[in-house]
Amino acid sequence: MASNIGNRVRLSVFGESHGTAVGCVIDGLPAGEALDWGEILTQMARRAPGRDKTSTPRQESDTPELLSGTLGSAEEGTLRTTGAPLAMLIRNQNTRSGDYAQLARLPRPGHADYPGFVRYQGYNDVRGGGHFSGRLTAPLVFAGAVCKQILRRRGVRVGGHILEIAGVRDRRFDPVSVNGGMLEGLSARPFALLDPAVETPMREKVEAARMDCDSVGGIVEVAAVGLPAGLGSPMFEGMENRLAALLFGVPAVKGVEFGEGFGFAGMRGSEANDPYAYDRNGRVVATSNHNGGLLGGITNGMPLLLRAAVKPTSSIGLPQRTVDLVSGEDAPLTVRGRHDPCIVPRALPVVEGVVCLGLLDAMETERAGE
Amino acid sequence: MASNIGNRVRLSVFGESHGTAVGCVIDGLPAGEALDWGEILTQMARRAPGRDKTSTPRQESDTPELLSGTLGSAEEGTLRTTGAPLAMLIRNQNTRSGDYAQLARLPRPGHADYPGFVRYQGYNDVRGGGHFSGRLTAPLVFAGAVCKQILRRRGVRVGGHILEIAGVRDRRFDPVSVNGGMLEGLSARPFALLDPAVETPMREKVEAARMDCDSVGGIVEVAAVGLPAGLGSPMFEGMENRLAALLFGVPAVKGVEFGEGFGFAGMRGSEANDPYAYDRNGRVVATSNHNGGLLGGITNGMPLLLRAAVKPTSSIGLPQRTVDLVSGEDAPLTVRGRHDPCIVPRALPVVEGVVCLGLLDAMETERAGE
Amino acid sequence: MASNIGNRVRLSVFGESHGTAVGCVIDGLPAGEALDWGEILTQMARRAPGRDKTSTPRQESDTPELLSGTLGSAEEGTLRTTGAPLAMLIRNQNTRSGDYAQLARLPRPGHADYPGFVRYQGYNDVRGGGHFSGRLTAPLVFAGAVCKQILRRRGVRVGGHILEIAGVRDRRFDPVSVNGGMLEGLSARPFALLDPAVETPMREKVEAARMDCDSVGGIVEVAAVGLPAGLGSPMFEGMENRLAALLFGVPAVKGVEFGEGFGFAGMRGSEANDPYAYDRNGRVVATSNHNGGLLGGITNGMPLLLRAAVKPTSSIGLPQRTVDLVSGEDAPLTVRGRHDPCIVPRALPVVEGVVCLGLLDAMETERAGE
Amino acid sequence: MASNIGNRVRLSVFGESHGTAVGCVIDGLPAGEALDWGEILTQMARRAPGRDKTSTPRQESDTPELLSGTLGSAEEGTLRTTGAPLAMLIRNQNTRSGDYAQLARLPRPGHADYPGFVRYQGYNDVRGGGHFSGRLTAPLVFAGAVCKQILRRRGVRVGGHILEIAGVRDRRFDPVSVNGGMLEGLSARPFALLDPAVETPMREKVEAARMDCDSVGGIVEVAAVGLPAGLGSPMFEGMENRLAALLFGVPAVKGVEFGEGFGFAGMRGSEANDPYAYDRNGRVVATSNHNGGLLGGITNGMPLLLRAAVKPTSSIGLPQRTVDLVSGEDAPLTVRGRHDPCIVPRALPVVEGVVCLGLLDAMETERAGE
């Protein structure tokens, strides 16, 4: 497997849905960084299931235990990084493996069951999806919450919102005026939207799918402000390359775009190019931001903007068609267990998290502006 | 900079638009692979400018010279890889650097000029965009053409088409029935389309932009067939992560999606999940392919399908607004020189090329199915 | 920090001597490999302190807990790798942090205290050496013991012995006739020697140093047999490069040599070159093995032979001179606590362990002979 | 193959001894660094063959051609790095491939011929050793000479001397007082020694071997002064790990040691530990330097000291025993051609070069002291 990534700030993720634990090792964090434990738990809670009807009623404690890499006390607010690898684990509980007993032979459509079976010759842990489970995103949120705090002290703020669920659309970030205060506000909310009026229709779509034993997909939009210009490297170590490599590590993400993204296909250059001007402080700014803060993979000092498409939850209650890998015959499948009719709200803090990880890694690797 | 990528098959790209040469080193190719030089030149010609009105009238010879890593003779058809690093260079000629003299102080909107200036403290070569130039895609096409031949001998075919230019759309690949013969046919054509009827309206849009001293964007779609199931690794070394990291290295690519991609946002799980069945030969197949051949980042044996959004050429003849980095004042800019009104047809072989590179790297790294 | 390494089989190590735990994540192990838990504990016990007078009287439980990456039961002998990251932790206990209170201001000569203080601006955990502690070798032995079992099933055996302690020398491996049975035998012993007669004089040297509140150094020699010819890649991914990068990760290792190593300085080419011949089975063999099984960084099918120099334990009871980083004045230092008068016997299983890790990584990366 | 290495400053080496060219790409050099072309040629000349009787009479022009990554003129002294990948090639000439015709079937003892044959299934270029040839060290010296200049501007000087040839020993560097002026002086010399009196006996040993159609080995010693304390990371990214991974990439290097290295085996801790004291300027220094400036893989501000063992040239004129890979029978071999009776003087600038590369990479990666 290859559940690790990063240049200077490197993440190694481990665990299975129904095994002993999930967790991660973050190697290369700067030393002496204060960690607000409460903020980490807040971000973990945004991802945790069981909060409302859009998610599975499974209760997961999701309480991370620190194993290494810090000194001080979370309770007393004196927790700091030491610069050594920061390891964390979350013990699993409340798992009902019986729900998944049939999966070893009946791969679920839309899941990694069948490719995983071939890749690991049938030796992989299929209970709850094993290492492919959405539960593995808990360490991603944890790592992101650590990085987010360090980024904030460097003047970088990251936040996002649900842009679309089941065809119901929030408005997009204003690519020029999006700011840190707004992003911090969104990042504290469980169901983050720019336009609160779309919450009800979105939730209705999710509830309708739930009633049908079905699921719906969506899009999340994330922004980062305060990045220095000049961050990123050409060709394969641009910010787009690095962030995309992280974002496609989030289960269910099937598309990533920066700035106008696929919308560029219908634009002309005269519209797409962002003109430059000096602002009042003599700083170079762009007067529009169709490119999402990135040109040639390198930041230009404008807000970084990206969107990630999230496919509908693969686990649905409706009957499906699959194959029986043991008998060698086609077979019907009804997936039991408790599943999210819509993963999008829980995917948002994960996407924000990996963006934070990618940005801090780039800043530690390149020290832009120094 | 960081113009290198890859796990087992590693690419290192070098050169500037108006410097001595562009080229690459491909490290880790399997030994003993026959290379059809004519096929390499065919792919290079698809990318080369000056062929028709959609591209710049600049003539570039684009003749690669082999420096190492092969034995035998291209002319006699006995060329083979040795397993040592394969290095190639293309000498630059027919450059008019005078066209770009002003760029050192007047960064072009939509280009990497300004981020590059900050990143390299003004020391980077700005002539023709330097290392950020689209000319650097010639080595990518070369490397892709080498990999494509090796993939073909392993039963894998890669090809693509122009899906959209300026709002005019070709039809999409049929995600189940797309096959190698079709892909090989497309991959030989300079303006590859599934529906020939859209060529004229597409070209009209490009010509209209050219007459307006403007440019247009588009989307390319690429497929790979014959891949074994089980290729790719979870989380950060999935095929989606790897291919996205390569694809965002192609200048002007601002979005990448797999299977339905952003279209998943409006779908239900019951529609998005691809059911399994045994085919006549007892092989597991999916009866639909919304996921583009990838689940959990790992191939499932169905055709791999992806799309990349290409922004409109940044270099346009229309007057634009920028800043004068020397005088510290806002300034008008008119970019002279010879530019492509639409880069999409030339971007297609580049996108195919990096997909070939990514697939061969993954196969060499993982030896799926063995 | 950068406590991770590897190409396909990647190790990420975490923990501090007096923190919550030490442990590791091994990513990329092949799936379906049976793990003999008893053998892992045997190797861990070889490294564990407190066994005899050459080591510290500290008792460390060193019982690893599996967190992920396996299925089955250690007790029932059904434990197998799943292919997912294998995470393990060992909780710390029996630590006396008071012993080390002064170290934050008085860096110990010969230790990483001072470089670590500068590297981490004083934020690193200094208790017991923190992440620089020899305790961090426990995860290395664990990882090595896992890899050793997998290697054995592929016909590769790894083992070693104490070649020298304080000037007392064991005889060297016969570079041609060293075999798997001998290596397995050595690898089970706590104080492995080829010539049992040197044990007593070695132990006397260690005891003399202990009585003097001082310490002694030595050399370990490790061999691997059964490796296929053709493993390794030229220049920077040769087996020598890979193994050296691992071996210098073992605390106290200050020199690494392959085959005759530094002895080549006094040899002639006619002596150093190993002639080839066909053996009875028509297999190419070398009739001598001065090169330690490696030419150009690549295995030639002969036994791989290496030696690592281990410096005397830095923690000694004798008074030493250091600086007081707080007062800014020179200061005397007496290191209290329980220390090994000789680390060499405990370093041996660590060196064997990282060799196993490097060999399995190379085999998984290159699949030599396929 | 895997002829590339590096974290931020990455080197990719290509070429074969009797192919079109050898060369390299250096990715990640800092931008705006002036390059003294004369100094680069001086270093290349130190490695070039044909200067005196210790080396082969082959004349190689070894004139590097810059392909990318610089602006300005070597002649006018205005050459500067741009930050883009710096590519260089040296065309081959004066090759007599006929000398090596038999090598495809008769692998030379001590060379990589046989492992290379297995590794590349007989497809590798065997002429002159192909990619395994010592000629591939020319790009290493080039890259080192570039890095050496950049290091000097940061206060770091690197130089070395021949410590031993055929049992004749120069004296070792004084580990505390070695300084930049001395290192610069040595680094300009073709046959660098601390004690000039050993040159004659060393040359006599080489000449005696040459007369016997044989060869001799030796040891080189390299120092670096002016390094900041705190450079390097624990475990696997220490300076020892990084430098060893580079040093074993130099053909014929079979052993590497830091500080006392293998000499630690006979020392006591009280002797090996380097005490600290404040110097007149209030800077922490060690009053001895047995550890060669490195503790826990991290610099302590003292001179970095290392030694590399170089085996006798494998190509000798004496008759040897080998196998005929075509006929499957044992066979006599007499290697014709022009070879170095002693590679040590030419290996010295190569070892210095890779040390420079490793140090600059570490400084660019870690920015110690910032």
Side-chain angles (χ1 to χ4, degrees):
Chain A
M1 294 224 180
S3 301
N4 42 47
I5 195 166
N7 203 327
R8 285 295 287 167
V9 180
R10 300 175 197 169
L11 180 71
S12 185
V13 177
F14 62 85
E16 291 90 22
S17 179
H18 289 50
T20 303
V22 299
C24 64
V25 183
I26 318 173
D27 198 309
L29 286 173
E33 297 283 349
L35 296 183
D36 180 331
W37 195 246
E39 184 177 346
I40 291 171
L41 296 182
T42 300
Q43 291 301 319
M44 306 278 301
R46 288 177 77 203
R47 191 214 71 91
R51 285 189 324 263
D52 68 28
K53 280 185 171 174
T54 65
S55 76
T56 162
R58 267 180 293 123
Q59 296 288 338
E60 294 172 1
S61 67
D62 269 16
T63 307
E65 180 193 1
L66 284 174
L67 297 176
S68 68
T70 61
L71 281 174
S73 152
E75 291 73 27
E76 297 169 18
T78 58
L79 204 62
R80 275 184 190 276
T81 60
T82 62
L86 192 161
M88 176 278 295
L89 71 78
I90 305 167
R91 301 227 168 237
N92 290 326
Q93 46 188 149
N94 188 23
T95 57
R96 291 202 221 153
S97 289
D99 290 353
Y100 301 92
Q102 61 182 347
L103 296 181
R105 57 191 298 179
L106 301 178
R108 294 166 298 175
H111 274 278
D113 295 349
Y114 175 65
F117 171 84
V118 177
R119 173 76 172 76
Y120 300 105
Q121 305 110 52
Y123 289 109
N124 54 315
D125 183 354
V126 299
R127 299 169 302 160
H131 187 62
F132 293 94
S133 164
R135 181 149 176 75
L136 271 289
T137 59
L140 300 181
V141 173
F142 173 87
V146 167
C147 296
K148 185 177 241 173
Q149 303 183 21
I150 301 172
L151 286 170
R152 186 187 294 123
R153 277 192 288 273
R154 299 182 184 187
V156 178
R157 308 285 175 112
V158 178
H161 67 111
I162 300 165
L163 180 63
E164 182 174 334
I165 285 179
V168 181
R169 275 224 147 201
D170 192 9
R171 64 169 186 265
R172 274 171 49 177
F173 279 126
D174 179 309
V176 171
S177 70
V178 56
N179 61 68
M182 180 195 304
L183 296 177
E184 293 279 350
L186 288 168
S187 200
R189 267 185 255 159
F191 201 95
L193 289 168
L194 294 181
D195 177 3
V198 298
E199 179 163 352
T200 301
M202 276 185 181
R203 286 188 179 277
E204 285 168 358
K205 289 280 192 181
V206 176
E207 182 62 13
R210 196 177 70 82
M211 297 303 287
D212 295 345
C213 298
D214 210 339
S215 64
V216 290
I219 301 174
V220 297
E221 185 177 46
V222 171
V225 300
L227 288 165
L231 189 68
S233 289
M235 289 233 129
F236 305 116
E237 291 203 4
M239 297 309 306
E240 290 158 328
N241 313 64
R242 289 166 168 183
L243 292 175
L246 281 157
L247 289 161
F248 282 112
V250 180
V253 167
K254 295 290 281 188
V256 169
E257 61 180 11
F258 297 88
E260 298 294 335
F262 281 87
F264 278 121
M267 293 173 76
R268 281 194 159 193
S270 54
E271 185 187 1
N273 288 350
D274 300 310
Y276 293 109
Y278 283 102
D279 72 4
R280 293 176 196 183
N281 307 311
R283 215 172 54 100
V284 176
V285 295
T287 56
S288 65
N289 185 19
H290 297 290
N291 286 282
L294 293 169
L295 293 167
I298 306 181
T299 55
N300 67 355
M302 299 298 292
L304 189 156
L305 285 156
L306 63 87
R307 281 174 295 285
V310 179
K311 73 175 187 175
T313 323
S314 303
S315 290
I316 56 175
L318 288 172
Q320 299 181 85
R321 301 292 310 171
T322 188
V323 290
D324 184 325
L325 293 166
V326 175
S327 74
E329 294 182 344
D330 294 355
L333 171 73
T334 302
V335 179
R336 290 200 181 73
R338 301 147 298 171
H339 304 289
D340 300 77
C342 180
I343 202 78
V344 179
R346 294 178 62 202
L348 176 58
V350 185
V351 169
E352 288 176 31
V354 297
V355 168
C356 290
L357 183 69
L359 293 177
L360 184 64
D361 181 33
M363 292 186 81
E364 281 294 295
T365 303
E366 309 208 339
R367 311 271 182 100
E370 282 186 290
Chain B
M1 292 223 181
S3 301
N4 42 47
I5 195 165
N7 203 328
R8 285 294 288 166
V9 180
R10 298 175 197 170
L11 181 70
S12 185
V13 177
F14 62 86
E16 291 91 20
S17 179
H18 290 49
T20 303
V22 299
C24 65
V25 183
I26 318 172
D27 198 309
L29 287 172
E33 296 284 348
L35 295 182
D36 180 331
W37 194 246
E39 183 176 348
I40 292 171
L41 296 182
T42 299
Q43 290 303 319
M44 306 277 302
R46 289 178 76 204
R47 191 215 70 93
R51 283 189 326 264
D52 69 27
K53 281 184 170 175
T54 64
S55 76
T56 163
R58 266 180 296 124
Q59 297 288 337
E60 294 172 1
S61 67
D62 270 18
T63 309
E65 181 193 1
L66 284 174
L67 297 175
S68 69
T70 60
L71 279 174
S73 153
E75 292 73 26
E76 298 169 16
T78 59
L79 204 62
R80 274 184 191 276
T81 60
T82 63
L86 192 161
M88 176 277 294
L89 71 77
I90 305 168
R91 300 226 170 241
N92 289 327
Q93 47 188 147
N94 189 23
T95 59
R96 293 201 221 154
S97 288
D99 292 354
Y100 301 92
Q102 63 180 348
L103 296 182
R105 57 191 298 178
L106 301 179
R108 294 167 298 177
H111 274 277
D113 295 348
Y114 174 65
F117 171 83
V118 177
R119 173 76 173 76
Y120 299 105
Q121 306 111 51
Y123 289 109
N124 55 315
D125 183 353
V126 298
R127 299 171 301 159
H131 187 61
F132 293 95
S133 165
R135 180 148 178 77
L136 270 290
T137 57
L140 300 181
V141 173
F142 173 88
V146 166
C147 296
K148 185 177 240 172
Q149 303 183 21
I150 300 172
L151 287 170
R152 187 187 293 123
R153 277 192 287 273
R154 298 181 184 187
V156 178
R157 311 283 176 113
V158 178
H161 68 111
I162 301 164
L163 179 64
E164 181 174 336
I165 285 180
V168 182
R169 275 225 149 201
D170 191 12
R171 63 169 187 265
R172 274 170 51 178
F173 279 125
D174 180 308
V176 171
S177 71
V178 56
N179 62 69
M182 180 195 304
L183 296 178
E184 292 280 349
L186 287 168
S187 200
R189 268 185 252 160
F191 201 97
L193 289 167
L194 294 181
D195 177 0
V198 296
E199 179 163 353
T200 301
M202 276 186 182
R203 286 187 179 277
E204 284 169 358
K205 288 281 191 181
V206 176
E207 182 61 13
R210 195 176 70 82
M211 297 302 288
D212 295 345
C213 298
D214 211 339
S215 64
V216 291
I219 301 172
V220 297
E221 185 178 47
V222 170
V225 300
L227 287 165
L231 189 67
S233 288
M235 287 234 131
F236 304 116
E237 291 204 5
M239 295 311 304
E240 289 157 328
N241 313 63
R242 290 167 166 183
L243 291 174
L246 281 157
L247 290 161
F248 281 113
V250 180
V253 166
K254 296 291 283 187
V256 169
E257 60 180 12
F258 296 88
E260 298 294 335
F262 281 86
F264 278 120
M267 293 172 75
R268 282 195 159 192
S270 54
E271 184 187 1
N273 288 350
D274 301 309
Y276 293 108
Y278 283 103
D279 72 4
R280 294 175 194 182
N281 307 310
R283 215 172 53 99
V284 174
V285 295
T287 56
S288 65
N289 186 18
H290 298 290
N291 286 282
L294 294 168
L295 293 167
I298 306 181
T299 56
N300 67 355
M302 298 299 291
L304 188 155
L305 284 155
L306 63 87
R307 281 173 296 282
V310 180
K311 74 174 186 175
T313 323
S314 303
S315 289
I316 57 175
L318 289 173
Q320 299 180 84
R321 300 294 309 172
T322 187
V323 290
D324 184 326
L325 293 167
V326 175
S327 74
E329 294 182 344
D330 293 356
L333 171 73
T334 302
V335 178
R336 291 197 181 76
R338 300 150 296 173
H339 303 290
D340 300 76
C342 180
I343 202 77
V344 179
R346 294 179 60 203
L348 176 58
V350 185
V351 168
E352 287 176 31
V354 298
V355 168
C356 289
L357 185 67
L359 293 177
L360 184 62
D361 183 32
M363 291 185 81
E364 282 293 297
T365 304
E366 309 206 339
R367 312 270 181 100
E370 282 186 287
Chain C
M1 293 222 181
S3 301
N4 42 48
I5 195 165
N7 202 327
R8 285 295 288 166
V9 179
R10 299 177 196 168
L11 180 71
S12 186
V13 177
F14 62 85
E16 290 90 22
S17 179
H18 290 49
T20 303
V22 299
C24 65
V25 183
I26 319 172
D27 198 309
L29 287 172
E33 296 283 350
L35 296 182
D36 179 330
W37 195 244
E39 183 178 347
I40 292 172
L41 296 182
T42 298
Q43 289 302 319
M44 307 275 305
R46 288 178 76 205
R47 191 214 70 92
R51 284 188 325 265
D52 69 28
K53 280 185 171 176
T54 65
S55 77
T56 164
R58 267 180 295 125
Q59 296 288 339
E60 293 172 2
S61 68
D62 270 17
T63 308
E65 180 193 1
L66 284 174
L67 297 175
S68 66
T70 60
L71 282 174
S73 153
E75 292 71 28
E76 298 169 18
T78 58
L79 204 62
R80 276 184 190 274
T81 60
T82 62
L86 191 161
M88 176 276 296
L89 72 77
I90 304 167
R91 299 225 169 239
N92 290 326
Q93 46 188 149
N94 188 24
T95 59
R96 292 201 220 153
S97 289
D99 291 354
Y100 300 92
Q102 61 180 347
L103 296 181
R105 57 190 299 178
L106 301 177
R108 294 168 297 177
H111 273 278
D113 295 349
Y114 175 66
F117 171 83
V118 178
R119 173 76 172 76
Y120 300 105
Q121 305 111 51
Y123 289 110
N124 54 315
D125 183 353
V126 299
R127 297 171 302 159
H131 187 61
F132 293 94
S133 165
R135 179 148 177 78
L136 271 289
T137 58
L140 300 182
V141 173
F142 172 88
V146 167
C147 296
K148 185 176 240 172
Q149 304 183 21
I150 301 173
L151 286 170
R152 186 186 295 122
R153 277 192 288 273
R154 299 180 185 188
V156 179
R157 309 284 175 114
V158 178
H161 67 112
I162 301 165
L163 178 64
E164 182 175 335
I165 285 180
V168 182
R169 275 224 148 202
D170 191 11
R171 63 169 187 264
R172 275 170 51 178
F173 278 126
D174 179 308
V176 171
S177 70
V178 56
N179 62 69
M182 180 195 305
L183 297 177
E184 293 280 349
L186 288 168
S187 201
R189 268 185 252 160
F191 200 95
L193 289 167
L194 293 182
D195 177 2
V198 298
E199 180 163 352
T200 301
M202 277 185 181
R203 287 188 179 276
E204 284 169 358
K205 289 279 190 182
V206 176
E207 182 61 12
R210 195 176 70 82
M211 296 303 288
D212 295 344
C213 297
D214 210 339
S215 64
V216 291
I219 301 174
V220 297
E221 185 177 48
V222 170
V225 300
L227 288 165
L231 189 67
S233 289
M235 288 235 131
F236 305 115
E237 293 204 3
M239 295 311 304
E240 289 158 329
N241 314 63
R242 290 167 167 182
L243 291 175
L246 281 158
L247 289 162
F248 282 112
V250 179
V253 167
K254 296 291 281 188
V256 170
E257 60 180 12
F258 297 89
E260 298 294 335
F262 281 87
F264 278 120
M267 293 174 75
R268 282 195 159 192
S270 54
E271 185 187 1
N273 287 350
D274 301 309
Y276 293 108
Y278 283 102
D279 72 4
R280 293 175 194 182
N281 308 310
R283 215 173 54 100
V284 175
V285 296
T287 56
S288 64
N289 186 19
H290 298 290
N291 286 282
L294 294 168
L295 293 167
I298 306 182
T299 55
N300 68 355
M302 298 299 292
L304 190 155
L305 284 156
L306 62 88
R307 281 174 296 283
V310 179
K311 72 175 187 176
T313 323
S314 304
S315 290
I316 56 175
L318 289 172
Q320 299 181 85
R321 301 292 309 171
T322 188
V323 291
D324 184 326
L325 293 167
V326 175
S327 74
E329 296 181 342
D330 293 355
L333 172 73
T334 302
V335 179
R336 290 200 180 73
R338 301 149 296 171
H339 305 289
D340 300 77
C342 180
I343 203 78
V344 179
R346 294 179 60 204
L348 177 58
V350 185
V351 168
E352 287 176 31
V354 297
V355 168
C356 289
L357 185 67
L359 293 177
L360 184 63
D361 182 32
M363 291 186 81
E364 282 295 295
T365 303
E366 309 207 341
R367 312 269 182 100
E370 280 187 287
Chain D
M1 293 227 181
S3 301
N4 43 47
I5 195 165
N7 204 325
R8 286 295 286 165
V9 179
R10 298 176 197 169
L11 180 70
S12 186
V13 177
F14 63 84
E16 291 91 21
S17 179
H18 289 50
T20 303
V22 299
C24 66
V25 183
I26 318 172
D27 198 309
L29 287 172
E33 297 284 349
L35 296 183
D36 180 330
W37 194 245
E39 184 177 347
I40 292 171
L41 296 182
T42 299
Q43 290 303 318
M44 308 273 306
R46 288 177 77 203
R47 191 215 70 91
R51 283 189 326 264
D52 68 28
K53 280 184 170 174
T54 63
S55 75
T56 162
R58 268 181 293 122
Q59 296 288 337
E60 293 173 1
S61 67
D62 269 18
T63 308
E65 182 194 0
L66 284 174
L67 297 175
S68 68
T70 60
L71 281 175
S73 151
E75 291 74 26
E76 298 169 16
T78 57
L79 203 62
R80 274 184 190 277
T81 61
T82 62
L86 192 161
M88 176 278 295
L89 71 78
I90 304 167
R91 299 227 169 238
N92 290 327
Q93 47 188 149
N94 188 23
T95 58
R96 292 201 220 154
S97 288
D99 291 355
Y100 301 92
Q102 63 181 347
L103 297 181
R105 58 190 296 179
L106 301 178
R108 294 168 297 176
H111 274 277
D113 295 349
Y114 174 65
F117 171 84
V118 178
R119 174 76 173 75
Y120 300 105
Q121 306 110 51
Y123 290 110
N124 55 314
D125 182 354
V126 298
R127 299 169 302 158
H131 187 61
F132 293 94
S133 164
R135 181 150 176 75
L136 270 292
T137 59
L140 299 181
V141 173
F142 173 88
V146 166
C147 295
K148 184 177 242 174
Q149 303 184 21
I150 301 172
L151 287 170
R152 186 186 294 123
R153 278 192 288 272
R154 300 183 183 185
V156 178
R157 309 283 174 115
V158 177
H161 67 111
I162 300 165
L163 179 64
E164 181 175 336
I165 285 181
V168 182
R169 276 227 147 199
D170 191 11
R171 64 167 185 267
R172 273 171 51 177
F173 279 125
D174 179 307
V176 171
S177 70
V178 57
N179 61 70
M182 179 195 305
L183 296 178
E184 293 280 350
L186 287 169
S187 200
R189 268 186 252 159
F191 201 96
L193 291 166
L194 293 181
D195 178 0
V198 297
E199 180 163 352
T200 302
M202 276 184 180
R203 285 188 180 277
E204 284 168 358
K205 289 281 192 181
V206 175
E207 182 61 11
R210 196 177 68 82
M211 295 304 287
D212 295 344
C213 297
D214 209 339
S215 65
V216 291
I219 301 173
V220 298
E221 184 178 48
V222 171
V225 300
L227 288 165
L231 189 67
S233 288
M235 288 232 128
F236 304 116
E237 292 204 4
M239 296 310 305
E240 290 158 328
N241 314 63
R242 289 167 167 182
L243 291 174
L246 281 157
L247 289 161
F248 282 112
V250 179
V253 167
K254 295 292 281 187
V256 169
E257 61 180 11
F258 297 88
E260 298 294 336
F262 281 87
F264 277 120
M267 294 173 74
R268 281 195 160 192
S270 54
E271 184 187 0
N273 287 352
D274 302 308
Y276 294 107
Y278 282 102
D279 71 5
R280 295 176 194 182
N281 307 310
R283 216 172 53 100
V284 175
V285 295
T287 56
S288 64
N289 186 19
H290 297 290
N291 286 282
L294 294 169
L295 293 167
I298 306 182
T299 56
N300 67 354
M302 298 300 290
L304 189 156
L305 284 155
L306 62 88
R307 281 173 296 283
V310 179
K311 73 176 187 175
T313 324
S314 303
S315 291
I316 55 175
L318 288 172
Q320 298 180 85
R321 301 293 309 171
T322 188
V323 289
D324 184 327
L325 294 167
V326 175
S327 74
E329 295 181 344
D330 293 355
L333 171 74
T334 302
V335 178
R336 291 199 180 76
R338 301 149 296 171
H339 304 291
D340 299 77
C342 179
I343 202 77
V344 179
R346 295 178 61 202
L348 176 58
V350 185
V351 168
E352 287 177 32
V354 299
V355 168
C356 289
L357 184 68
L359 293 177
L360 183 63
D361 182 32
M363 292 186 80
E364 282 293 297
T365 303
E366 307 207 342
R367 312 270 181 99
E370 283 184 288

